[in-house]
Amino acid sequence: MDTSRLRPMLATEHAEIVADLRELTPEQWDRTSLCDEWTVHDVTAHLGAGMTTGQLAWIASILRAGLRPAVHNRRQIARFARATPEETLARFAALGSEGGEPVRLPTGDTAPWLGELVVHGQDIRHPLGIGREPAPEAVAAVARFYASRDFAVNSRSQVKGLHLRATDAEFTANDPGLPVVEGPQLALVMLMAGRPAYLDRVEGPGVPELRSRLAG
């Protein structure tokens, strides 16, 4: 995908998440996100860590973690998080700005990191009832990427043998003759990312199979 086109989307989604986080109460920061065992504060630190870890640092971190992503992520969250959510947010908000840390992504491919912002933004918003959604063009870019390959999540494998069809966009994936799962494009992205909370937003004969995969 064209990195020059995706970079502005990355900046926009970062700014939108920051805007939502600035409205949170102390209790909301401690709420569990859609990521198992991670609070909203944890997800924010995870996003910040991912945006400040260059390729060599990422490789070194995953090797030190014994190729265990959960250990790597836990250590990276601890590295980026500050003593309070407000301090973590200030650090996250300043990324890429004058006086803030530069954005250093682990790969030259921007699409997976746009996916991180789109998906983790909803991991925060959904349980808190925040209605804001990512920009449609960002969701479309992530949908195409997720349907094409497994990367940070097993998105392509998650929907192998199922035909995805967005009801609010032109996105489709896989053979039309396969069992259909249809719904809003954002819901399809979140399901490819392994978020069963979005199953109630889709329908079609392929939904029971997808539900079974997500439960497994």
Side-chain angles (χ1 to χ4, degrees):
M1 294 186 182
D2 184 356
T3 296
S4 64
R5 185 174 63 85
L6 296 185
R7 279 278 182 169
M9 296 183 194
L10 199 73
T12 296
E13 296 311 313
H14 172 245
E16 296 288 348
I17 293 171
V18 168
D20 288 335
L21 292 172
R22 283 181 169 145
E23 301 297 320
L24 299 190
T25 66
E27 293 76 17
Q28 287 175 314
W29 277 105
D30 287 333
R31 287 279 298 274
T32 301
S33 71
L34 291 186
C35 295
D36 292 343
E37 300 181 359
W38 285 5
T39 66
V40 169
H41 188 189
D42 292 333
V43 173
T44 305
H46 170 73
L47 283 173
M51 293 175 69
T52 55
T53 306
Q55 187 174 26
L56 291 179
W58 188 91
I59 292 171
S61 176
I62 195 71
L63 288 175
R64 283 197 301 270
L67 302 179
R68 293 171 293 174
V71 174
H72 161 79
N73 285 330
R74 187 165 61 248
R75 289 175 176 174
Q76 288 296 311
I77 287 171
R79 174 184 69 80
F80 191 87
R82 293 297 186 246
T84 68
E86 292 77 16
E87 291 173 295
T88 302
L89 174 56
R91 184 181 184 187
F92 180 63
L95 294 179
S97 66
E98 186 176 351
E101 299 165 70
V103 173
R104 296 189 180 95
L105 301 179
T107 75
D109 190 349
T110 307
W113 309 106
L114 180 61
E116 287 282 288
L117 286 171
V118 166
V119 171
H120 286 315
Q122 295 310 110
D123 287 339
I124 291 168
R125 294 175 180 126
H126 187 280
L128 295 179
I130 297 172
R132 192 199 305 264
E133 294 188 350
E137 60 270 22
V139 179
V142 175
R144 291 192 297 271
F145 177 77
Y146 277 4
S148 68
R149 60 184 291 196
D150 294 339
F151 191 79
V153 292
N154 295 326
S155 50
R156 183 181 180 185
S157 299
Q158 192 78 261
V159 296
K160 184 179 180 180
L162 300 172
H163 176 61
L164 304 187
R165 183 166 64 219
T167 54
D168 59 350
E170 296 182 358
F171 171 73
T172 63
N174 302 333
D175 192 322
L178 297 169
V180 175
V181 176
E182 63 178 0
Q185 185 171 235
L186 178 60
L188 298 178
V189 164
M190 295 300 290
L191 291 167
M192 283 191 280
R195 303 316 196 255
Y198 280 77
L199 281 166
D200 62 358
R201 303 191 186 188
V202 296
E203 58 184 15
V207 172
E209 171 61 23
L210 182 55
R211 186 185 303 276
S212 175
R213 295 178 188 182
L214 290 168

